[in-house]
Amino acid sequence: LSPGEKMGCFTFIKVMMILFNLAIFLGGGTLLGVGIWVTVDGQSFLDIFGALSSSVLQVMNVSYVLIVIGAILLVIGFLGCCSAQKESQCLLMMFFSVVLIILIAEIAAAVVALVYTGLAETLLTAVVTPLLREKYGADNTFTQIWNVTMTKVHCCGLNNYTDFTDSPWHKEHKTYPESCLVRGSLPLACPHVCGCLLQGCFAQILEEIKTNAGVVGGVAAGIAALEIAAMVVAMYLYCHLDQK
């Protein structure tokens, strides 16, 4: 390529990187805003989106997850835009390093999720079960999130209905949540029979992930491909600046 063509290619890639990272920055800001909204006024969020919200994130505290993801995207988008706009090798290398660390962390998390599913369940049980016994029936937002989750996913608690034993709801109503009941009584057996809701949400979500493994894998591969492409572009700009 002639020097002019090389400069035109460099400029095109630079503009594309700025636009791409601007989209990431705006997306991160949106997620961060929604996360803060859920934290401050979770009931309003549930009133609007409650009927549609039956995702994996509901097993955890969705607001904090959104805040963390939004903050990470904001940092990546900001670094990407600034590094390309200012043509700074230092910022480009920082952007490359941050995306590489995130990619490695995602791969490590995927390996841990595949190999140590039992460990993940143990950790979730240690964190979520005490929250269920402390907040279910006392915290309206927390209770509503779990009610929607259990209704949509067709599950009961994280492990089973005993997660709600001694919760404020159990103490007040002397029974378990409606989602855990079959015709007014607890399903004490037949956990695999259709209509029997003894199984916990963790098992149900794992089953849904396995059923939709192709979609989950495709999304994960797409995200990884975008991250690799971002690193390649950053390194191209870095090397071109070095030559200049």
Side-chain angles (χ1 to χ4, degrees):
L1 295 175
S2 66
E5 290 175 329
K6 287 182 178 179
M7 183 56 67
C9 182
F10 174 84
T11 303
F12 174 77
I13 292 177
K14 171 184 169 180
V15 171
M16 287 298 99
M17 183 170 177
I18 291 173
L19 293 176
F20 177 71
N21 283 282
L22 180 60
I24 291 177
F25 183 84
L26 293 175
T30 301
L31 288 179
L32 184 62
V34 171
I36 294 173
W37 174 26
V38 175
T39 302
V40 174
D41 189 13
Q43 190 57 51
S44 295
F45 180 84
L46 286 171
D47 289 343
I48 297 172
F49 298 105
L52 303 174
S53 52
S54 58
S55 66
V56 175
L57 290 179
Q58 286 177 329
V59 176
M60 298 172 282
N61 194 323
V62 66
S63 60
Y64 295 126
V65 173
L66 290 176
I67 289 172
V68 170
I69 294 175
I72 291 173
L73 291 179
L74 275 176
V75 171
I76 292 175
F78 179 77
L79 278 176
C81 286
C82 288
S83 60
Q85 177 63 33
K86 295 181 178 297
E87 297 185 6
S88 168
Q89 286 186 310
C90 179
L91 289 176
L92 281 169
M93 185 51 66
M94 190 180 298
F95 172 79
F96 179 91
S97 301
V98 169
V99 176
L100 178 61
I101 290 170
I102 292 173
L103 179 62
I104 293 172
E106 288 171 350
I107 293 173
V111 171
V112 169
L114 290 173
V115 178
Y116 300 106
T117 302
L119 176 61
E121 183 174 9
T122 301
L123 291 174
L124 275 176
T125 300
V127 173
V128 176
T129 303
L131 286 176
L132 287 173
R133 290 180 178 167
E134 176 187 346
K135 292 187 174 183
Y136 189 86
D139 186 318
N140 291 333
T141 299
F142 183 85
T143 303
Q144 180 64 17
I145 288 174
W146 271 93
N147 284 341
V148 172
T149 300
M150 292 189 295
T151 300
K152 296 294 182 180
V153 182
H154 301 295
C155 58
C156 177
L158 184 67
N159 298 299
N160 53 52
Y161 70 91
T162 59
D163 291 342
F164 296 102
T165 301
D166 294 328
S167 66
W169 174 277
H170 184 251
K171 290 177 179 178
E172 180 181 352
H173 298 278
K174 308 300 181 184
T175 185
Y176 292 90
E178 186 177 349
S179 302
C180 298
L181 305 177
V182 176
R183 295 179 182 176
S185 63
L186 282 172
L188 298 178
C190 65
H192 302 296
V193 175
C194 181
C196 187
L197 304 182
L198 178 64
Q199 63 269 32
C201 294
F202 185 84
Q204 286 293 90
I205 290 171
L206 275 184
E207 192 63 35
E208 288 192 12
I209 290 174
K210 290 176 183 177
T211 303
N212 300 284
V215 176
V216 174
V219 171
I223 293 173
L226 286 174
E227 290 169 342
I228 293 171
M231 289 190 294
V232 170
V233 170
M235 190 52 62
Y236 169 84
L237 295 176
Y238 179 91
C239 293
H240 192 281
L241 288 173
D242 194 43
Q243 292 172 4
K244 290 172 66 178

